[in-house]
Amino acid sequence: MSNQSPASQYYISSAFQNPEFVQQLWCKEDKISSILCHAVKECSVNNSDSPLSICCDYLIDYICVYLINKPSDFIHIFQDFEEAEDKTTFMNLYFQNYLVHSTVTNALLSNHKIIEAIGDYHSWIEYPLKYRATKLIQNAPAGSLTTNDLFPTELDLLNEMRDYLLSCAYAENKLAETDIIYFKTNFARSYEMLTQAKQGKK
């Protein structure tokens, strides 16, 4: 952790297996973003040889699971992040942590303004969109899901992502009638392939 300031090293090492200390850090609004940024740079994903990477991992995990309670918290913790790559790393670590609550994920995916404010969303939004869509499709009544349910229509998402999410919903007969028309119009090839597959099962 040689590239970090001594203060950041102290905070990160002191936070290890010390929930009360992490809670105190979270309240230091003028420091937490900088400290977390250093932790991301030195976590095991980026620097597996760092002797303090386990401390960085602990701090990141604790913040993800216990302290991020609403979408605007991401804006708060990214104040001192200067590199988009570090934000992407943190977002991927957050969404791939099985202990984070889906309530925050769903609220974030419904807030395109915060997604845009975080930035570089093409680098991190695929996993949470697919995960949420899977849960929605499993639990939704037939013919009830709209494009707005599956992805934020205000965002400039790749057509491949829109196609994938709509295809999944259509294949399970969960896509609403008006959105089937949208799917057929914009992704005709996928629509035709899935329609033929459905007819073949009858």
Side-chain angles (χ1 to χ4, degrees), residues 17 24 34 36 38 44 46 65 69 72 89 101 135 137 155 162 164 172 180 185 189:
Q17 294 186 336
Q24 293 172 0
S34 177
L36 186 59
H38 287 310
S44 59
N46 286 331
V65 175
N69 296 310
S72 60
T89 297
H101 204 287
K135 295 298 183 182
I137 292 168
L155 298 181
R162 297 171 186 261
Y164 174 85
E172 298 298 327
I180 291 176
T185 302
R189 182 179 179 184

Side-chain angles (χ1 to χ4, degrees), residues 1 36 49 55 91 143 147 166:
M1 201 172 286
L36 186 59
D49 294 330
C55 299
M91 295 303 288
T147 52
L166 290 165

Side-chain angles (χ1 to χ4, degrees), residues 6-59:
S8 291
Q9 293 184 42
Y10 165 76
Y11 286 126
I12 292 170
S13 61
S14 299
F16 184 64
Q17 294 186 336
N18 190 344
E20 184 177 350
F21 188 82
V22 181
Q23 294 276 357
Q24 293 172 0
L25 277 184
W26 184 254
C27 295
K28 295 180 182 293
E29 296 186 352
D30 59 331
K31 293 184 173 66
I32 186 60
S33 179
S34 177
I35 294 167
L36 186 59
C37 181
H38 287 310
V40 169
K41 289 181 181 296
E42 295 289 343
C43 70
S44 59
V45 170
N46 286 331
N47 193 349
S48 59
D49 294 330
S50 170
L52 288 181
S53 62
I54 188 173
C55 299
C56 297
D57 292 350
Y58 177 86
L59 178 62

Side-chain angles (χ1 to χ4, degrees), residues 27-106:
C27 295
K28 295 180 182 293
E29 296 186 352
D30 59 331
K31 293 184 173 66
I32 186 60
S33 179
S34 177
I35 294 167
L36 186 59
C37 181
H38 287 310
V40 169
K41 289 181 181 296
E42 295 289 343
C43 70
S44 59
V45 170
N46 286 331
N47 193 349
S48 59
D49 294 330
S50 170
L52 288 181
S53 62
I54 188 173
C55 299
C56 297
D57 292 350
Y58 177 86
L59 178 62
I60 293 168
D61 284 344
Y62 191 94
I63 288 174
C64 287
V65 175
Y66 296 108
L67 299 180
I68 294 179
N69 296 310
K70 57 187 183 301
S72 60
D73 287 338
F74 291 102
I75 304 301
H76 168 60
I77 62 176
F78 286 151
Q79 287 179 356
D80 293 332
F81 279 57
E82 296 180 354
E83 298 180 20
E85 182 180 356
D86 293 333
K87 289 184 182 181
T88 297
T89 297
F90 182 86
M91 295 303 288
N92 286 327
L93 289 171
Y94 177 84
F95 290 121
Q96 292 170 21
N97 188 318
Y98 293 122
L99 295 178
V100 300
H101 204 287
S102 60
T103 301
V104 179
T105 298
N106 293 338

